[in-house]
Amino acid sequence: MTTISTATRVLDHGDGRGLQAVLLDMDGTLVDTEDFWWQAEASLFAELGYALDEKDRAQVVGGPMSRVIDYLIAATGVDLAPADLTVLINQRFVDLLAGGVPLMPGAERLLNTLAAHGVPAALVSASHRHVIDIVLQSLGAHHFAFTVAGDEVPRTKPHPDPYLEAARRLGAEPGRCVVVEDAPTGVRSAEAAGCPVIAVPSVAVIEPAPGRLVLPSLEQVDLELLRSLVASRV
């Protein structure tokens, strides 16, 4: 279990207005697993006699699983209960992870930079706990103060609950926690929580907006940029 029950408190830097923490999505942001999810979904439905296309992929990227399942059942009319379909997709995804998970370009450098400068990082994902724990074997649990899973909050993304919970555990202000996301669902969650956002789109298009910076790669994210996003809000 990688979630901690007690709060990890951040240090206040100087004027009480600076960056307190960085909250990071997992699938498609730090690890290149969005293709794995799509392979799991598309191959399963192909076996069931339904062909999913790129339009469907754009709808399911970023989870959460409950929304993905509802969409796939409505789009295909497959005769499966949501709970049964969830189990089948999750198992197929886990099987695909067996060979390890590739990190996104710039992910390791960013996590090492945060650690070197004492900036707390938390992993905030719509994936369920058992999936996160598998991915952490490749990503490295030591990079994070804690992780928040989609099945550990009352409402997962696109609701603000996961990012509010992460800020609460850190004793931080949401407006001083920069979120890094790859999908519109996660961006909506972070913005609803009041966090500044860096979006690095993986599949679905994300447009720039006030309080939201859109970049092509994590390789462009550095500490100066993270600090500037918080400073611009005060």
Side-chain angles (χ1 to χ4, degrees):
M1 175 70 73
T2 50
T3 301
I4 60 174
S5 57
T6 56
T8 300
R9 295 288 162 174
V10 299
L11 296 175
D12 207 344
H13 297 288
D15 61 5
R17 295 180 297 173
L19 175 70
Q20 287 185 308
V22 178
L23 312 178
L24 302 118
D25 174 55
M26 185 177 76
D27 296 298
T29 299
L30 292 177
V31 289
D32 192 6
T33 50
E34 289 296 357
D35 280 346
F36 287 15
W37 279 115
W38 178 241
Q39 289 175 42
E41 293 152 358
S43 64
L44 176 62
F45 272 84
E47 291 175 11
L48 294 171
Y50 303 94
L52 302 179
D53 58 25
E54 288 300 313
K55 171 181 64 69
D56 299 308
R57 186 178 186 181
Q59 292 297 318
V60 301
V61 65
M65 182 58 76
S66 59
R67 181 179 61 79
V68 170
I69 294 300
D70 288 346
Y71 171 83
L72 291 173
I73 290 176
T76 64
V78 65
D79 186 20
L80 282 173
D84 294 335
L85 184 55
T86 298
V87 170
L88 290 172
I89 291 176
N90 268 303
Q91 186 55 58
R92 188 158 298 206
F93 177 73
V94 168
D95 291 344
L96 289 170
L97 296 179
V101 182
L103 272 60
M104 298 296 286
E108 185 171 11
R109 177 199 57 79
L110 174 59
L111 293 171
N112 288 336
T113 296
L114 296 177
H117 290 85
V119 179
L123 187 70
V124 183
S125 176
S127 290
H128 288 190
R129 168 54 52 197
H130 74 281
V131 171
I132 290 178
D133 287 343
I134 293 170
V135 173
L136 283 173
Q137 295 173 24
S138 298
L139 185 56
H142 63 282
H143 289 301
F144 308 102
F146 56 83
T147 67
V148 178
D151 55 344
E152 295 173 343
V153 288
R155 302 178 304 172
T156 188
K157 303 173 186 180
H159 298 287
D161 304 39
Y163 285 113
L164 290 175
E165 173 65 10
R168 183 194 67 79
R169 292 189 197 181
L170 289 165
E173 301 169 24
R176 295 170 62 189
C177 298
V178 176
V179 168
V180 185
E181 273 279 358
D182 77 301
T185 299
V187 169
R188 291 197 298 272
S189 173
E191 291 178 344
C195 302
V197 175
I198 294 176
V200 183
S202 61
V203 177
V205 174
I206 301 174
E207 297 293 340
R212 178 197 309 167
L213 177 65
V214 180
L215 298 174
S217 170
L218 287 180
E219 294 178 311
Q220 294 182 293
V221 182
D222 58 25
L223 191 58
E224 181 179 0
L225 176 63
L226 292 164
R227 287 173 170 163
S228 72
L229 291 180
V230 173
S232 68
R233 295 165 67 97
V234 298

